[in-house]
Amino acid sequence: MKELTSKYDTIMLWEVFEHLQDVNLFLELVKDTLVNNGRLVFSVPNYNKRKNFNTQNNNIDNLYQSGPPIHLNFFTEKSVSNVLENHGFKLEFCKIKKFPYINFKRSKFYTEFMKSIFGLYEGPTLYVSAVYKKSV
């Protein structure tokens, strides 16, 4: 991103943020690359999805996603909000994907889908949009 000389209205990342080695440096580079009131839009795995697996046979501390060196950062609604606000972004929204990803061959899909209808399911993905207003 240091090589980019143009300014952008929007920077979008889909399932990238969790792989970054230096989130702070990346966000500083994003701010330099965005126009005033530019948007950062991204998705990340929802760390709280681990709560879906909290049964007597499972450990709540399991990640239920790839750990390091694949995923280096783990986000909840609160933590993603904190990180963005600490870097001067205004969070527009952070939404949890309500339903599980469709896989009719996976038997747990049906249970997860029913739980999601009744609000008892932690969705697998966070969708985020934030605006950066440059100080004059």
Side-chain angles (χ1 to χ4, degrees), residues 13-54:
L13 308 163
W14 305 113
E15 306 297 316
V16 172
F17 216 73
E18 66 274 13
H19 300 280
L20 297 175
Q21 289 184 359
D22 191 337
V23 170
N24 294 324
L25 174 61
F26 176 76
L27 288 172
E28 291 305 312
L29 293 170
V30 165
K31 290 184 331 188
D32 290 341
T33 308
L34 286 172
V35 299
N36 191 33
N37 291 318
R39 282 187 174 71
L40 175 62
V41 179
F42 62 94
S43 67
V44 291
N46 179 12
Y47 177 69
N48 278 338
K49 71 182 176 187
R50 74 193 193 291
K51 294 177 182 178
N52 295 326
F53 303 97
N54 186 17

Side-chain angles (χ1 to χ4, degrees), residues 64-120:
Y64 298 100
Q65 61 182 305
S66 299
I70 306 300
H71 289 172
L72 304 175
N73 306 288
F74 302 90
F75 297 100
T76 63
E77 283 180 289
K78 181 72 173 157
S79 68
V80 88
S81 173
N82 288 343
V83 167
L84 292 169
E85 288 174 6
N86 286 341
H87 284 275
F89 286 85
K90 181 180 179 223
L91 187 67
E92 286 187 304
F93 67 81
C94 180
K95 304 277 185 189
I96 296 175
K97 180 181 184 334
K98 182 177 178 178
F99 296 102
Y101 287 100
I102 295 173
N103 182 347
F104 296 119
K105 293 181 181 180
R106 193 172 63 86
S107 61
K108 285 194 171 194
F109 165 76
Y110 299 96
T111 303
E112 292 169 353
F113 186 82
M114 291 306 293
K115 284 183 175 182
S116 66
I117 289 173
F118 295 104
L120 302 172

